């Protein structure tokens, strides 16, 4: 609060962490394709190493791409369809050149009381939740680094703007854990 009693807007802190930067860039890339997407998985590699191996990419590199520690996301196409994402992630192992991974996945969230009186069958329960009048469609982007850092981004379909994406470390702890496990031996 200011001395005159008025409330000021909180200062926006610039994003400088390499994992946060690549997560934001990757989330915007995914968002550009709209909603109702299948899960998308990305390997995170050192931008300097990528530009050294692929010099033709230098022409399109941004200032952030050439900063020390910068990361670049490389989409892993051809993910098999699955209803058990954690199980699919458990079968993934990355080579040493991959420093991190990011996963974009859409989910339906409902108020906690919506889970009462759900049908017993999984498919019927999913249908009931999808039809709930208070449901919210969200997209999560979870990014982890080999060094243990993690960041999560959450975009709501109802507020589908880049400046309305929430960011935090513990938005999706189960997905963070599952993605981290892809780096365990």
């Amino acid at each position: 609060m200011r001395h005159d009693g008025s409330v000021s807007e909180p200062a926006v802190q610039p994003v400088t962490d390499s994992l946060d930067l690549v997560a934001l860039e990757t989330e915007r890339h995914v968002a550009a394709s709209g909603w109702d997407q299948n899960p998308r998985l990305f390997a995170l590699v050192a931008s300097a190493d990528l530009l050294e191996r692929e010099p033709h990419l230098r022409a399109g590199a941004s200032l952030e791409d050439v900063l020390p520690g910068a990361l670049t996301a490389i989409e892993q196409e051809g993910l098999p369809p699955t209803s058990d994402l954690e199980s699919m992630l458990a079968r993934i192992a990355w080579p040493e050149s991959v420093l991190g991974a990011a996963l974009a996945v859409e989910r339906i969230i409902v108020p906690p009381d919506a889970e009462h009186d759900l049908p017993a069958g999984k498919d019927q329960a999913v249908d009931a939740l999808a039809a709930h009048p208070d449901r919210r469609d969200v997209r999560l982007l979870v990014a982890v680094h080999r060094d243990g850092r993690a960041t999560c981004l959450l975009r709501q379909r109802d507020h589908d703007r880049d400046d309305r994406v929430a960011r935090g470390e513990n938005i999706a702890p189960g997905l963070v854990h599952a993605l981290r496990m892809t780096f365990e031996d």
Side-chain angles (χ1 to χ4, degrees):
M1 199 182 299
R2 296 184 183 153
H3 293 293
D4 63 2
S6 64
V7 177
S8 61
E9 290 290 319
V12 175
Q13 297 295 321
V15 177
T16 57
D17 178 77
S18 61
L19 186 63
D20 287 335
L21 286 169
V22 75
L24 285 166
E25 179 182 311
T26 304
E27 195 283 330
R28 288 183 186 126
H29 168 76
V30 172
S33 296
W35 288 87
D36 303 318
Q37 298 182 51
N38 290 324
R40 294 171 70 177
L41 182 65
F42 299 83
L44 306 180
V45 300
S47 298
D49 292 348
L50 179 63
L51 293 173
E52 186 176 310
R53 284 193 314 270
E54 305 286 341
H56 65 280
L57 296 175
R58 288 188 189 276
S62 68
L63 176 60
E64 289 85 15
D65 292 331
V66 296
L67 291 174
L71 297 168
T72 298
I74 301 172
E75 187 158 8
Q76 307 301 294
E77 297 185 7
L79 281 183
T82 182
S83 60
D84 187 358
L85 199 53
E86 286 80 6
S87 188
M88 183 214 44
L89 290 173
R91 295 187 304 271
I92 292 176
W94 300 103
E96 289 298 317
S97 60
V98 174
L99 301 179
L103 175 71
V105 61
E106 294 181 12
R107 293 287 191 242
I108 296 170
I109 58 173
V110 294
D113 65 336
E115 297 179 15
H116 298 295
D117 302 322
L118 285 176
K122 182 179 178 182
D123 291 340
Q124 293 84 3
V126 169
D127 291 344
L129 291 173
H132 194 281
D134 293 327
R135 79 177 257 180
R136 298 289 178 257
D137 296 335
V138 298
R139 180 181 304 113
L140 293 162
L141 185 119
V142 176
V144 302
H145 195 281
R146 274 188 191 275
D147 66 12
R149 289 179 291 148
T151 191
C152 301
L153 304 175
L154 177 96
R155 181 184 292 255
Q156 295 183 43
R157 188 186 293 236
D158 292 347
H159 305 285
D160 192 2
R161 295 188 352 223
D162 290 349
D163 65 343
R164 300 294 302 265
V165 174
R167 185 180 69 198
E169 288 183 33
N170 296 313
I171 293 173
L175 287 176
V176 168
H177 176 74
L179 206 51
R180 278 183 174 144
M181 294 308 293
T182 66
F183 291 97
E184 296 294 319
D185 292 333

